[in-house]
Amino acid sequence: MRTVADHVRALAAQLPKGRLILSGIQPSGRLHIGNYFGAIRQHLAFQYGNRAFYFIANYHALTSLNDRELLEAYTLEVAMDYLALGLDPEQATFFVQSDVPQVTELAWIFTCLVPVSFLEKGVAYKDKIARGLSPVAGLLTYPVLQAADILIYEADIVPVGQDQKQHLEFTRDIAQKFNTLYGEVFKLPEPYIHPEVAVVPGIDGQKMSKSYGNTIEIFASGSALRKRIMSIVTDSTPLEAPKDPDRCTVFALLKLFATPEELEEIRQAYLRGGYGYGQAKERLYELMEHYFEEARQRRRYWEAHPDEVRDILRQGGQRAREVAEAVMERVRQATGLLTTYSKSFALRKI
Ligand code: ADP
Ligand code: TRP
């Protein structure tokens, strides 16, 4: 049976090295296995042999969460989740987005370059409005802040899930527009989307998402986890009949956790018949409990040491701020935003 560490190690061996990697995740709820397979596992694997920056996107979370206590709690929870899953603060710079207020400064500069019509084409924006989120201006300009996050650290590669692809295209467009107007300041980043797990289905078969209420949380365990897995929607093929593994949500999730040999054995059982969805779910439960067991134990350590978590984030924030401030200084000069306190201040005649 696989574990997080096996999987991360195997993936790390296949990834590019020597690049600057950056990604963020919103603390807008508890993390789920869609977040893990779509993004977090890649974040962990990219730590090795690269320079990595990972942050908790709390400015972004403000677009949908306006509860101070919840935002604080989720921010710390996401930090503990990452550390428990194996984020190594010696390898990666791990921080909270609001520790680097320079990104909001850069976002404003970008906001002045981006046509509203361009933002109105945002798939994530349209989707969020359709789901009833309040259409605040921050939802519309969300991708502008994300572009600032990415460009301020001069990222080469941004590991994300499929649904973030358009935000990376926006980011590249914004960088190009800035560079054309003001000179070459920004590098054009590329997304990295894992080819096999672009979209993880939720228990109802739709894309798994915090906002659809169809998630399986990474750190659920025991009877709560079992109950959740048992509620995955399946069709009504009787137990004796052969089943099509490729049209089954349970099988799609088994694919994520099982080794190739385990998966082949399960596939054959589906095709043969006499193997019920209940049995497949039981197997998924067993594999998932085992997969996250070590991480669960490590999480208990971090829960008992919140001060250490805060220290890690504080140090990460300081490092990130230094990098961001150096780039911002170049941006202020390139755009003509005079800062009277900086060395570059000079009076210019026109
Ligand atoms: P949610 O949809 O649950 O709110 P986020 O939008 O915060 O999740 O996504 C965080 C990261 O996880 C992003 O990189 C996103 O692409 C990825 N992700 C979220 N849900 C899935 C999924 N079901 N399958 C694959 N990746 C996902
Ligand atoms: N929009 C991303 C999401 O919903 C979170 C995010 C914010 C992000 N800033 C980023 C991801 C920069 C990658 C890079 O998941």
Side-chain angles (χ1 to χ4, degrees), residues 25-26 28 32 34-35 38-39 160-164 197-200 207-211:
I25 196 147
Q26 290 191 72
S28 51
H32 53 76
N35 299 140
V160 281
Q162 178 76 39
D163 58 357
Q164 296 295 311
V197 285
V199 182
V200 175
K207 176 198 168 233
M208 184 176 290
S209 172
K210 283 168 219 140
S211 40

Side-chain angles (χ1 to χ4, degrees), residues 254-266:
L254 279 163
K255 267 191 201 162
L256 303 170
F257 291 100
T259 62
E261 300 74 40
E262 285 162 346
L263 193 69
E264 188 47 34
E265 183 196 309
I266 303 167

Side-chain angles (χ1 to χ4, degrees), residues 163-198:
D163 58 357
Q164 296 295 311
K165 199 165 174 240
Q166 193 188 33
H167 288 165
L168 264 291
E169 285 158 13
F170 279 171
T171 301
R172 291 170 62 92
D173 287 348
I174 291 173
Q176 264 164 334
K177 180 136 191 213
F178 185 99
N179 288 351
T180 308
L181 275 171
Y182 294 118
E184 292 291 315
V185 172
F186 294 114
K187 250 193 207 175
L188 300 193
E190 278 171 36
Y192 174 86
I193 297 168
H194 193 285
E196 284 155 35
V197 285

